[in-house]
Amino acid sequence: MSTEPPDIDRTSDVPHGGALPFPEELPPDHRSGFVALVGKPNVGKSTLLNAWLGVKLMAVSPKPQTTRNRLLGILTRPDAQIIFVDTPGIHLPRTRLGEYMVETARRAVPDADVILFTVDVSEPPSRADQEVARVIAGAPDVPVVLVLNKVDLIAPEVAEEHRAAYEVLGTYTVSMPVSALSGYNRDALLEETIALLPPGPRYYPEDQLTDQQERFVAAELIRERALELLQQEVPHALAVMVEEYKERENGTVFIAATIFTERDSQKGIVIGRDGAMLKRIGREARLALEAFLEAKVYLELWVKVRKNWRRDERFLRQLGYEPPQER
Ligand SMILES: Nc1nc2c(ncn2[C@@H]2O[C@H](COP(=O)(O)OP(=O)(O)OP(=O)(O)O)[C@@H](O)[C@H]2O)c(=O)[nH]1
Ligand SMILES: [Mg+2]
């Protein structure tokens, strides 16, 4: 008699209770582990991750320093579970928030099984890239893939020239020109990355996409829309807090959120003439939330001033910007 369960019904309603699936379900060469996307701001780390996950989980914008927290994005396939760690861009911090962001990114490096050192190959390396390379060199045992992103923006000869300049910044297992936007080499890079992961089980249930709550993702999507729509100095001074998140019985999700600015003048800009800007942010955020939650969303947005919140340790904590724990 075979000991194999005949037909494993993955959709059965046997309560999993968050437990891991039976090891028999996984092939013997199943791989798993943490893959950290590390780089200076604005190189396309979050864009790449969203593309691999096939959902818009991470806030993305043309403005640097979009990502503020460490965020997990979990990709489960029959042969592997990749736990991507999106990190804030490493930069020279000028506020407590900035310090928190850089510290968060640094801490992700030694904990990773694979590092994706992401750069913008359309430009030659800058001092910021050198600094990131230095941080990564601090974890010499972790394999590093040099991801030469935004290759769609330049001619192949220029890409090759810049590639050589990036490659000398450190020791890399492999380097690959990609375009997170066009998709060029995106799948190839994913396969390379998985091949570098150690054999291991699934750490998360197969349907889990992130370690964050929906309300956190909601706050990020609202902040992203505001970042996209607002100009100049305002974006960095914004924070979003979801005050209420309720799923109604008819499936509608009710979300009440506050956008915080640092100054009265910024509050005025966020609201706009006759409230037009806030309405637009609200409408676009609602559409993004509906796509993400696959539900009808009722979104209520408020704007408040919280003077110099980026230097306010207590408020940063309330926003969820906690200094990472020592391990
Ligand atoms: N042309 C082009 N643009 C890209 C590519 N990847 C990302 N971008 C754009 O670059 C900008 C920054 O992308 P993000 O994904 O927010 O960059 P990030 O590295 O996560 O930035 P931080 O969170 O600030 O560290 C966005 O406007 C993206 O649309 C690419 O392959 N080609
Ligand atoms: Mg990002």
Side-chain angles (χ1 to χ4, degrees), residues 69-87:
N69 294 58
R70 190 196 86 133
L71 280 172
L72 298 190
I74 304 157
L75 181 63
T76 301
R77 321 198 309 186
D79 61 333
Q81 184 171 69
I82 310 101
I83 305 148
F84 289 107
V85 186
D86 193 12
T87 67

Side-chain angles (χ1 to χ4, degrees), residues 42-47 61 65-67 89 149-150 152 179-181:
N42 220 32
V43 293
K45 301 177 290 296
S46 302
T47 306
S61 92
Q65 298 169 36
T66 299
T67 303
N149 192 34
K150 306 200 188 184
D152 57 287
S179 171
L181 272 196

